[in-house]
Amino acid sequence: MVGICGPNGSGKTTLLKTILGLIKPTEGKVLVFGKPITKDTQMRIGYMPQLKGYSKEFPAKVKDVVSMGRYPIRGLFKRLTRKDWEIIERVMNDTQLSELADRPIGQLSGGQFQRVMLAQALAKQPEIILLDEPTSALDFRMTIKFMDLLKELNEKYGLTVIAVHHDLQLLKDYTDRIICIDKAVEWEGNPQDADLDEALLRIFFYKTTH
Ligand SMILES: Nc1ncnc2c1ncn2[C@@H]1O[C@H](COP(=O)(O)OP(=O)(O)OP(=O)(O)O)[C@@H](O)[C@H]1O
Ligand SMILES: [Mg+2]
């Protein structure tokens, strides 16, 4: 469980997109599973983008949007198999979406929609999942449930979770490793490290370069 933090505009989303291979680095290189990114490695990575102005007018039901998570695996124009639908049903159950399965996504609340995006990313059955501010629209109770679910998937299936969070308490409670960036890596360590608070204060309050 890796947490990424940093001020607005510090490059967190850019970093995730670079890991995914959506953006090519101008310098340096990105290794995933020890190798440069290929189409094959992309299949093994799930991505839940930052919530912003996603077209919810798109006329689809919750289960259809979740099932799109299987397309990269199955191929865009292939029919989903019974096994695909089993996986889709399981992730909808895990993300507490089963009751909303037939609801048009345009009618969902922000938090419900965020859970649909998580379910879609999980439907790919990735080995690494990249989450960009995944709990920004969730209430307190749902946030805890959401983070507990990720922790469970991490412990049960060894899913690597790399998540951007603005909530520093969540970072401390739910990660094994924290990386704080501001264009470059400013601090990296464990949530228990004694100098974490001081580093966060420096990066978020005293630095004047951004
Ligand atoms: N496609 C792009 N082309 C040029 N500049 C970009 C592009 N996308 C982002 N940027 C710039 O790169 C910087 C980092 O953006 P990024 O979205 O990675 O920040 P962030 O850390 O995710 O911020 P936030 O906390 O607000 O989500 C910003 O200055 C942003 O304006
Ligand atoms: Mg961002």
Side-chain angles (χ1 to χ4, degrees):
M1 301 277 283
V2 180
I4 295 171
C5 67
N8 290 134
S10 59
K12 302 179 298 297
T13 298
T14 304
L15 175 64
L16 295 190
K17 287 182 176 170
T18 311
I19 297 174
L20 267 171
L22 297 179
I23 295 179
K24 297 259 174 297
T26 49
E27 282 177 52
K29 56 184 171 182
V30 181
L31 300 180
V32 181
F33 306 115
K35 295 192 204 95
I37 302 154
T38 60
K39 282 260 169 292
D40 217 44
T41 32
Q42 274 179 337
M43 294 289 182
R44 297 159 67 189
I45 309 175
Y47 177 46
M48 177 180 166
Q50 192 168 356
L51 193 67
K52 57 173 181 191
Y54 188 90
S55 172
K56 290 209 292 182
E57 302 310 311
F58 188 63
K61 292 176 181 174
V62 166
K63 65 180 178 198
D64 300 326
V65 175
V66 175
S67 72
M68 285 174 197
R70 295 299 300 164
Y71 292 175
I73 307 292
R74 195 55 62 205
L76 199 50
F77 300 105
K78 301 266 165 59
R79 277 181 78 87
L80 297 180
T81 63
R82 182 194 289 266
K83 184 167 168 275
D84 289 320
W85 283 106
E86 277 170 21
I87 293 164
I88 292 157
E89 260 168 44
R90 192 173 338 125
V91 296
M92 286 205 298
N93 192 38
D94 284 343
T95 49
Q96 302 187 13
L97 288 170
S98 303
E99 282 176 21
L100 298 173
D102 291 308
R103 185 81 65 88
I105 54 162
Q107 293 176 11
L108 299 179
S109 74
Q112 289 167 338
F113 184 70
Q114 218 159 21
R115 268 149 55 209
V116 173
M117 291 291 99
L118 173 69
Q120 189 189 72
L122 289 175
K124 200 176 170 186
Q125 294 193 305
E127 292 160 63
I128 300 177
I129 190 163
L130 307 176
L131 307 148
D132 203 344
E133 301 186 31
T135 61
S136 62
L138 302 186
D139 67 27
F140 177 70
R141 189 173 140 269
M142 261 305 155
T143 297
I144 301 295
K145 279 186 179 257
F146 189 100
M147 294 308 296
D148 282 345
L149 169 64
L150 290 178
K151 200 168 168 199
E152 195 188 320
L153 295 170
N154 171 261
E155 286 168 359
K156 242 204 235 164
Y157 306 111
L159 174 70
T160 296
V161 178
I162 302 178
V164 171
H165 291 294
H166 280 300
D167 184 330
L168 302 177
Q169 195 59 49
L170 275 193
L171 276 173
K172 287 190 188 180
D173 291 346
Y174 284 96
T175 58
D176 307 308
R177 190 163 158 224
I178 296 175
I179 301 168
C180 225
I181 66 170
D182 193 359
K183 309 283 159 62
V185 175
E186 289 282 339
W187 188 89
E188 185 178 356
N190 301 320
Q192 300 82 11
D193 286 349
D195 61 337
L196 169 62
D197 287 356
E198 188 259 313
L200 292 174
L201 277 175
R202 175 171 56 80
I203 296 159
F204 283 95
F205 294 100
Y206 302 136
K207 257 188 111 209
T208 52
T209 51
H210 50 265

